[in-house]
Amino acid sequence: MKTDDPQRLRADRVWLTEDACDLDDFRALAEKTSTLADYPTASAVEKNVLIYDSRKVIEAVSTQEGRRAILAEICEAFGIGPGVVVFKHAYEDTGIIDRASVIFDEIIEEQHLTSTGGGDHFAKPGANDRIWNSLEKHCLADPENFARYYGNAIVALASEAWLGPHYQMTAQVNRVNPGGAAQSAHRDYHLGFQSSKVIEQFPAHVHRLSPVLTLQGAVAHCDMPLESGPTLFLPHSQTYEPGYLALKRQEFKDYFDQNHIQLPLEKGDVVFFNPALFHAAGTNRSKDIKRVANLLQVSSAFGRAMETVNRERMSAKLFPALKALKGKLSAGEIANAVASCAEGYSFPTNLDRDPPLGGLAPKTQAQLMHEALAENWSDDTFTEALAEQAARKLS
Ligand SMILES: [Fe+2]
């Protein structure tokens, strides 16, 4: 009911409710057309999604001015644009992907043998195989391949475009076997993982905050024709502010089912999307394609990631591999690998034991690793320094 009571109007502004979600309001935002001219580095718009040729992106960031321009372009594509971007051939050398796939297959095999590993939040268990925290497991199993994989310029660029520096990488492998059913339409972490009752307790600005705390990505580990069920997306749906609540309502679910799009991917392509975009994994109708994606969930330095990651253990394992790769990987690739591994933010810490030295913030794990690499520390010296630093941060 319409009201002109200012207190009531204010409460309606601050408290979003499932009941107040309106499909017409939503359609006015989500039925925008993505325009290629607004995104001059993009190569195409397909089904309302921006497609970038990764080589062209990497060329465009070779100057400082070009880098600022492309970071801004991608940032707006995630925020006010379609919310989803495909980077074609982000991995030109698909051998890096193939080696990682072998590692993932071995981990899944081991999970089957030991009956460990978990299900999927949004799909029935069984038809899918998951590797939770594939980030750490990958690093421990093959740090050299991890360095090449996460040294990837596009992964780093998209993460920085949305989240700024010092992001926290996490990753989970999803293998959807033939017959694997679609997920239900959802938004992702943070508010996307709560019930309406909980979501309604957060003021509206937190609904706006949640999407900027995370970036979702997927690295295609195999060719994914439409029959294999690549992710279903509804471009522009991230712009509807009460969308975390709307997806609990049937008419929004129906709208998603009737209007979502799907794009085939090739091995080595990477998709990144705003976590508030309505999306769901598709049904795998193929006879024989095990659809494997490594899902990247990148957290802001200022957010809490969903998964616990032992970055100290990973850093100790990655360090010797990075020393051996000097000269084979570029300085940029090494920095990208460090950013995906070591903690890049100073806090939380114990300020009694770990005071800021010479600046406002204590040294980060990533800074320690860069220092150790630059000065060619022995593995033991670095491992001890990591442990000392971690101990200083404990209360
Ligand atoms: Fe998701």
Side-chain angles (χ1 to χ4, degrees):
M1 201 167 50
K2 292 270 181 236
T3 176
D4 52 8
D5 172 4
Q7 283 298 79
R8 173 81 194 278
L9 287 169
R10 173 180 285 149
D12 287 348
R13 273 201 307 275
V14 171
W15 304 116
L16 308 180
T17 63
E18 192 183 314
D19 281 350
C21 292
D22 183 273
L23 190 62
D24 289 333
D25 290 350
F26 174 73
R27 289 181 59 173
L29 293 165
E31 293 182 359
K32 278 203 190 102
T33 302
S34 309
T35 309
L36 188 58
D38 292 338
Y39 300 93
T41 320
S43 309
V45 174
E46 279 177 32
K47 299 182 185 171
N48 232 2
V49 175
L50 289 168
I51 313 290
Y52 283 83
D53 169 353
S54 298
R55 189 179 283 186
K56 204 172 150 191
V57 173
I58 289 166
E59 280 166 14
V61 299
S62 60
T63 64
Q64 193 55 27
E65 199 184 339
R67 187 176 156 77
R68 276 173 65 82
I70 193 87
L71 286 171
E73 182 177 325
I74 293 168
C75 181
E76 288 208 339
F78 292 141
I80 58 173
V84 49
V85 172
V86 176
F87 294 95
K88 294 299 294 178
H89 311 300
Y91 287 84
E92 276 195 88
D93 175 3
T94 52
I96 297 170
I97 303 271
D98 290 338
R99 171 60 197 149
S101 294
V102 169
I103 298 163
F104 296 156
D105 283 345
E106 286 170 359
I107 294 170
I108 290 171
E109 197 61 26
E110 176 72 20
Q111 286 182 174
H112 284 177
L113 287 173
T114 56
S115 301
T116 53
D120 182 327
H121 324 275
F122 296 106
K124 287 195 196 107
N128 293 2
D129 287 298
R130 274 273 180 178
I131 304 174
W132 298 119
N133 193 9
S134 66
L135 186 89
E136 184 174 339
K137 291 167 185 166
H138 185 174
C139 182
L140 299 183
D142 187 340
E144 182 186 333
N145 180 254
F146 177 96
R148 293 181 187 278
Y149 190 99
Y150 287 99
N152 187 278
I154 293 292
V155 169
L157 200 77
S159 302
E160 195 180 336
W162 188 237
L163 303 166
H166 315 317
Y167 50 79
Q168 313 168 68
M169 184 64 68
T170 69
Q172 302 101 30
V173 169
N174 194 21
R175 186 171 81 183
V176 180
N177 302 318
Q183 290 178 328
S184 43
H186 62 277
R187 282 181 165 189
D188 276 328
Y189 195 61
H190 297 257
L191 287 185
F193 281 59
Q194 303 294 335
S195 66
S196 288
K197 207 173 153 206
V198 173
I199 298 169
E200 287 179 350
Q201 293 172 47
F202 288 91
H205 65 248
V206 179
H207 293 241
R208 297 192 291 272
L209 174 69
S210 189
V212 299
L213 290 176
T214 315
L215 181 68
Q216 288 295 132
V219 181
H221 275 246
C222 60
D223 288 344
M224 299 182 181
L226 293 186
E227 56 165 358
S228 72
T231 310
L232 318 171
F233 294 111
L234 190 59
H236 298 277
S237 54
Q238 84 283 4
T239 56
Y240 185 57
E241 197 171 295
Y244 292 102
L245 295 159
L247 269 173
K248 315 285 184 190
R249 288 180 52 152
Q250 193 57 44
E251 74 268 34
F252 284 85
K253 290 181 188 171
D254 293 344
Y255 184 88
F256 178 84
D257 289 341
Q258 287 151 18
N259 295 282
H260 62 70
I261 59 91
Q262 221 175 354
L263 287 171
L265 295 174
E266 293 169 281
K267 180 164 71 179
D269 292 351
V270 178
V271 184
F272 276 103
F273 58 99
N274 184 315
L277 193 77
F278 292 11
H279 68 280
T283 301
N284 187 345
R285 294 193 172 85
S286 73
K287 282 198 189 66
D288 52 5
I289 303 170
K290 289 183 171 180
R291 197 184 78 233
V292 182
N294 192 23
L295 308 178
L296 307 180
Q297 192 170 51
V298 199
S299 269
S300 158
F302 308 141
R304 298 192 196 206
M306 187 190 281
E307 285 187 307
T308 311
V309 178
N310 189 333
R311 297 188 186 276
E312 183 189 338
R313 184 160 57 192
M314 284 172 65
S315 297
K317 191 83 184 180
L318 184 64
F319 181 68
L322 286 183
K323 280 198 299 187
L325 284 165
K326 272 192 205 171
K328 293 181 193 156
L329 294 185
S330 70
E333 287 169 322
I334 287 179
N336 297 342
V338 171
S340 283
C341 171
E343 175 58 59
Y345 193 49
S346 302
F347 305 110
T349 191
N350 179 337
L351 287 167
D352 279 328
R353 278 204 296 255
D354 187 30
L357 294 174
L360 295 170
K363 189 186 286 179
T364 67
Q365 199 173 56
Q367 285 170 328
L368 182 70
M369 198 157 173
H370 280 297
E371 198 177 306
L373 284 169
E375 295 171 6
N376 212 20
W377 293 6
S378 76
D379 300 345
D380 286 346
T381 304
F382 178 62
T383 304
E384 279 164 31
L386 272 175
E388 277 169 26
Q389 186 188 50
R392 276 197 304 277
K393 289 183 177 291
L394 297 175
S395 63

